[in-house]
Amino acid sequence: MIIKRRDFLTASAGLAGMAGLGAMGIRPSFAQTEPTYTPEEGASLRLLRWVPFVKGDEEAWNANTQKFIDQTGIQVRIDQESWEDIRPKAAVAANVGSGPDMVMCWFDDAHQYPDKLVDVTELANYLGEKYGGWYDGVRGYATRGDQFIAMPLTAIGNAVCYRDSHMQAAGFSEFPEDTEGFLELCKALKANGTPAGFPHGKAVGDGNNYAHWLLWSHGGKMVDEDGKVAINSPETIEAINYARALYETFIPGTESWLDINNNRAFLAGQISLTANGVSLYYAAKNDEALKEIAEDLRTTNFPIGPVGESAELHQTSSIVLFNHCQYPEAAKAYIKFMMEADQMNAWIEGSSAYCCQPLKAFADNPIWTADPVHAPYARASETLRPNGYAGPLGYASAGVMADYVLVDMFASAVTGQSTPEEAATEAERRANRYYRI
Amino acid sequence: MSTMSIEKPRFSLSTLMQNGNMLALLFMLPAAVFLICFLTYPLGLGVWLGFTDTRIGREGIFIGLDNYQYLASDGVFWLSVFNTLLYTTVASAVKFALGLWLALILNEKLPFKSFFRAIILLPWVVPTVLSALAFWWIYDAQFSIVSWSLIQLGIIDSPINFLGTPNNARASVITANIWRGIPFVAISLLAGLQTIPQSLHEAASLDGATSWQRFRYVTLPMLTPIIAVVMTFSVLFTFTDFQLIYVLTKGGPVNATHLMATLSFQRAIPGGQLGEGAAIAVAMIPFLLAAIMFSFFGLQRRKWQQGGQD
């Protein structure tokens, strides 16, 4: 039985700190009243998260958790799994009804078992109201209609990384903002012997990010609003033709690239332009031998295509709370605590620009201005689109991406194995398999 | 004469123990339980899953041959079948040829024989993932040692695109598999060679047989049973290979190196479609059975072993 207490005055002793925090915000005009969650007697929680990409993330998250433990006496155990293993583990936990109480899941995971999740709409609306609103993209991953089935947590930003001196040498003083200019830049870089490179191989992260940007920037989409496959369209053909032109300017071998190859090639000075998480910059910065590259490295958001707005795919994580959790009130109290400004800001800062805020009010976090390289990563939540755009998320959108339908479509066309029309038809056929239900 | 008879209790433990059949059953029970739990059940479950639309995290319902019907019309699946057959055939044939050759050399009187025999085993001893990672660097599009060496020698101008074009990628993964599989074939065949009595060779020599004839009419027939077993295993290992592909290409470029095993994994675990993944795995069974049948009913025929013809 879930008891929701809305009584501000009788906050439990354990939650005194949090209640105090909230009490400052109480105003009659508050449309969404602050929910309080009274943890169950003897509650303990288990959170399964992805292995942090940066140490600061782990330290900040654990410190915040420790603060929660100290204030409430609730034990929280944090298990880590490598990021690829989160998806099957979470699915099994949902199905079996045991295991972790909460999982930091990826992308559209929550939509695969919405009936196994605790509704967190009340808490999410309160947070949204308090912190300037949710970004649409991260909100899309966590909601069905107006109902929050998960708590949006972060977007792991992806941005174009390039060598400033090589761009200047190619005759560009500013990084082009549209796809046409971007192609010209890549051509010029190629002519100078400092080419670009984006993965066309089975790179789960970078490959999908690049492929989705290619498609979306040209107005293509995998499915329409009703979930009907719409990939075989003139916009897609246009995107493929653009990809082919771009591919001509790349360093040879990108069709075999996995996630790590672009980092290696960039750090070895073999390519001068790619897209990656902020880790690329830190890899260069933390290595004395790569100082020159780190100083020359600039970042920017992906150029805008004919569609007229930024449309990118970024890795997105949400926290799901399972029905089988014995202490849902304690879990909500924990999620609330971690999402509140003090903790959230500390975590975003600790993650050194890896994790982008889900709520607009955290956009002024000092980490984004601490280094000019960080700036584009601050926009990850703003520019992102859910992977199943423009249709509903769920099993089909997840399956299509896991099967590399879009990555394969571009790869087969740019390498000349099939014509753009054939590639689009094949992608349509494969996508239909998933969207038939 | 005594009229007393001893009435035996019908189901005493001692009678059970006296009964040979019962005892045999009892001794076999642990093995049977083990086989049923860890082999029959998972296999049966896999076959069953192939007939359902089970996804990770969700029970499926029976959908008959739906998965197979879809696979039959799926170009990616057929490409993976082709890749698997190509991979298995080429790799196994080369492994056999080179392995046999190596075994014959090692069977000769060589200096440092045991040292060489130990060295030969190395690729087999190294964990597959580690050797796959080494090959991943060797085949890297930018940093390949092979490309680098050839460029330094002035033979080529730009790095070889090992894993980038379909045929290059296939040749590369097959080469890596051969490198890894030769030791198994060589050492097993070497063991077989050493069981062939020297006297047969001597007798053949006295009869004026050339070394080719000795190989063809003495060594080969005596070795056939071992070859049958070794090649069965070799084909099975190659057919079900996963790690090499997964580390090197994940099935790319554009599925040109996807094997049935890797496609099954991609669809079942990251893709979440356990049913379809299981169906792909089940589709491997007929091929594997055929390989086993061929070796047991073909290569092990007595006539062949005795050097006769059908």
Side-chain angles (χ1 to χ4, degrees):
Chain A
M1 182 76 200
I2 297 167
I3 308 154
K4 291 191 179 104
R5 292 235 229 140
R6 288 153 194 274
D7 188 351
F8 294 113
L9 302 173
T10 57
S12 75
L15 285 171
M18 287 171 53
L21 229 166
M24 293 185 291
I26 302 169
R27 288 192 306 271
S29 62
F30 235 39
Q32 192 73 34
T33 49
E34 173 171 2
T36 46
Y37 302 105
T38 314
E40 296 81 351
E41 203 57 37
S44 69
L45 299 167
R46 260 182 77 191
L47 167 72
L48 175 65
R49 66 160 298 172
W50 26 271
V51 176
F53 298 99
V54 279
K55 206 156 166 274
D57 161 6
E58 184 173 23
E59 286 166 1
W61 188 270
N62 289 353
N64 287 340
T65 304
Q66 191 56 48
K67 224 157 80 180
F68 177 76
I69 295 171
D70 293 342
Q71 285 182 17
T72 61
I74 298 168
Q75 280 309 311
V76 183
R77 185 175 127 195
I78 300 177
D79 298 323
Q80 298 185 350
E81 288 279 355
S82 108
W83 67 270
E84 302 104 314
D85 296 336
I86 292 286
R87 171 164 279 183
K89 293 245 161 129
V92 170
N95 188 40
V96 180
S98 73
D101 303 301
M102 295 167 282
V103 176
M104 276 189 199
C105 66
W106 291 112
F107 290 115
D108 39 17
D109 282 351
H111 293 264
Q112 311 214 33
Y113 30 79
D115 46 330
K116 306 285 169 71
L117 303 174
V118 175
D119 184 299
V120 288
T121 310
E122 183 192 43
L123 177 55
N125 283 340
Y126 153 73
L127 289 167
E129 194 105 9
K130 186 170 175 187
Y131 295 115
W134 298 98
Y135 289 103
D136 284 342
V138 290
R139 189 180 185 280
Y141 276 115
T143 50
R144 297 206 125 188
D146 286 333
Q147 189 198 1
F148 278 82
I149 53 175
M151 184 61 68
L153 178 66
T154 187
I156 311 284
N158 185 59
V160 172
C161 305
Y162 63 98
R163 297 280 293 270
D164 192 38
S165 61
H166 295 176
M167 181 187 77
Q168 309 267 0
F172 285 74
S173 54
E174 292 278 313
F175 197 90
E177 283 181 3
D178 61 358
T179 43
E180 281 315 305
F182 184 66
L183 178 59
E184 292 310 314
L185 169 64
C186 289
K187 281 180 181 165
L189 284 171
K190 167 90 170 177
N192 271 3
T194 57
F198 290 83
H200 274 300
K202 305 223 171 209
V204 187
D206 296 333
N208 270 310
N209 291 344
Y210 177 58
H212 281 83
W213 166 74
L214 283 171
L215 179 71
W216 288 340
S217 62
H218 286 79
K221 53 192 167 191
M222 187 57 83
V223 289
D224 64 15
E225 287 74 5
D226 303 323
K228 201 167 157 292
V229 175
I231 186 69
N232 199 354
S233 66
E235 289 84 5
T236 304
I237 303 296
E238 205 185 317
I240 295 177
N241 283 326
Y242 179 75
R244 288 179 106 170
L246 215 47
Y247 171 78
E248 291 298 315
T249 70
F250 289 173
I251 191 170
T254 52
E255 56 283 337
S256 70
W257 277 11
L258 304 183
D259 277 291
I260 194 70
N261 290 72
N262 63 336
N263 302 42
R264 283 203 311 232
F266 192 94
L267 294 175
Q270 301 259 357
I271 53 170
S272 303
L273 193 162
T274 189
N276 209 72
V278 77
S279 56
L280 179 63
Y281 171 61
Y282 279 98
K285 200 181 171 191
N286 295 335
D287 191 335
E288 200 49 40
L290 299 174
K291 210 168 152 227
E292 192 193 332
I293 290 183
E295 280 167 8
D296 195 25
L297 193 153
R298 300 286 183 279
T299 53
T300 183
N301 289 107
F302 266 105
I304 294 172
V307 75
E309 56 172 354
S310 279
E312 299 179 34
L313 180 79
H314 302 280
Q315 272 61 15
T316 319
S317 188
S318 313
I319 299 182
V320 290
L321 170 56
F322 290 118
N323 279 337
H324 65 246
C325 173
Q326 289 182 2
Y327 311 107
E329 292 295 292
K332 285 182 191 169
Y334 175 66
I335 296 173
K336 178 170 183 284
F337 182 81
M338 298 301 273
M339 299 296 296
E340 293 280 6
D342 284 356
Q343 288 67 245
M344 196 32 121
N345 271 322
W347 183 61
I348 292 172
E349 203 164 349
S351 308
S352 40
Y354 227 107
C355 302
C356 183
Q357 67 283 343
L359 289 156
K360 291 173 185 164
F362 301 125
D364 56 6
N365 189 292
I367 193 72
W368 303 124
T369 45
D371 191 320
V373 166
H374 292 170
Y377 296 100
R379 293 188 60 216
S381 298
E382 186 188 329
T383 62
L384 86 83
R385 268 182 186 177
N387 57 322
Y389 181 83
L393 292 174
Y395 142 81
S397 59
V400 165
M401 196 158 85
D403 209 15
Y404 299 97
V405 172
L406 205 54
V407 173
D408 282 351
M409 179 183 84
F410 283 109
S412 64
V414 298
T415 54
Q417 283 180 44
S418 52
T419 65
E421 289 75 16
E422 284 165 5
T425 311
E426 171 69 3
E428 182 183 34
R429 188 192 64 78
R430 286 174 68 185
N432 265 325
R433 163 69 171 168
Y434 295 90
Y435 280 98
R436 69 190 160 157
I437 309 159
Chain B
M1 255 178 101
S2 165
T3 55
M4 269 181 59
S5 65
I6 302 161
E7 197 164 330
K8 289 181 187 169
R10 264 193 229 162
F11 296 109
S12 82
L13 197 64
S14 57
T15 24
L16 264 183
M17 288 303 172
Q18 297 301 318
N19 185 329
N21 287 337
M22 222 43 207
L23 209 59
L25 200 73
L26 219 61
F27 280 132
M28 283 193 301
L29 198 63
V33 169
F34 187 84
L35 287 178
I36 288 170
C37 285
F38 296 108
L39 283 173
T40 316
Y41 171 70
L43 189 66
L45 185 65
V47 174
W48 163 249
L49 281 176
F51 292 115
T52 68
D53 62 354
T54 308
R55 296 181 224 145
I56 289 187
R58 184 148 300 188
E59 294 276 329
I61 51 161
F62 181 78
I63 52 166
L65 290 172
D66 212 36
N67 283 328
Y68 296 95
Q69 270 166 7
Y70 168 73
L71 288 176
S73 65
D74 180 14
V76 179
F77 170 73
W78 286 112
L79 184 61
S80 79
V81 173
F82 168 76
N83 291 336
T84 313
L85 290 178
L86 180 81
Y87 186 76
T88 311
T89 318
V90 176
S92 300
V94 177
K95 274 190 277 194
F96 171 66
L98 292 179
L100 181 61
W101 180 57
L102 212 60
L104 289 170
I105 294 176
L106 287 175
N107 200 31
E108 297 296 316
K109 287 192 176 53
L110 279 178
F112 310 112
K113 195 152 68 176
S114 28
F115 174 73
F116 282 122
R117 284 181 188 173
I119 288 280
I120 293 293
L121 265 181
L122 271 182
W124 180 255
V125 176
V126 180
T128 312
V129 171
L130 290 187
S131 47
L133 281 172
F135 270 102
W136 191 44
W137 278 100
I138 292 173
Y139 291 148
D140 191 283
Q142 274 73 43
F143 307 102
S144 163
I145 175 91
V146 179
S147 302
W148 183 84
S149 309
L150 293 177
I151 290 172
Q152 294 295 317
L153 290 170
I155 297 171
I156 52 172
D157 301 325
S158 59
I160 302 169
N161 198 357
F162 284 107
L163 301 173
T165 66
N167 288 337
N168 275 4
R170 286 180 186 133
S172 302
V173 292
I174 288 174
T175 310
N177 181 281
I178 291 171
W179 177 84
R180 175 160 168 73
I182 284 181
F184 171 73
V185 178
I187 295 293
S188 309
L189 292 183
L190 179 62
L193 282 176
Q194 294 184 335
T195 62
I196 301 173
Q198 200 57 37
S199 54
L200 289 178
H201 283 285
E202 284 162 8
S205 301
L206 287 178
D207 287 345
T210 61
S211 62
W212 165 251
Q213 283 171 326
R214 267 183 288 141
F215 172 75
R216 173 65 189 81
Y217 296 107
V218 179
T219 311
L220 206 55
M222 297 291 287
L223 206 57
T224 322
I226 300 284
I227 291 177
V229 174
V230 170
M231 287 322 290
T232 309
F233 276 109
S234 178
V235 166
L236 296 191
F237 290 149
T238 317
F239 196 89
T240 55
D241 197 8
F242 174 86
Q243 302 172 71
L244 261 177
I245 300 292
Y246 208 68
V247 171
L248 287 176
T249 64
K250 285 204 174 150
V254 204
N255 307 318
T257 59
H258 243 320
L259 301 185
M260 291 167 85
T262 49
L263 186 68
S264 167
F265 174 80
Q266 180 182 306
R267 297 253 167 103
I269 308 297
Q273 302 183 89
L274 278 182
E276 192 177 318
I280 299 173
V282 169
M284 295 166 74
I285 296 177
F287 295 103
L288 295 173
L289 274 182
I292 295 171
M293 296 291 175
F294 174 74
S295 98
F296 277 83
F297 294 106
L299 290 178
Q300 291 207 334
R301 285 163 85 159
R302 284 224 166 262
K303 265 191 173 171
W304 285 20
Q305 286 174 29
Q306 287 156 0
Q309 304 291 324
D310 277 322

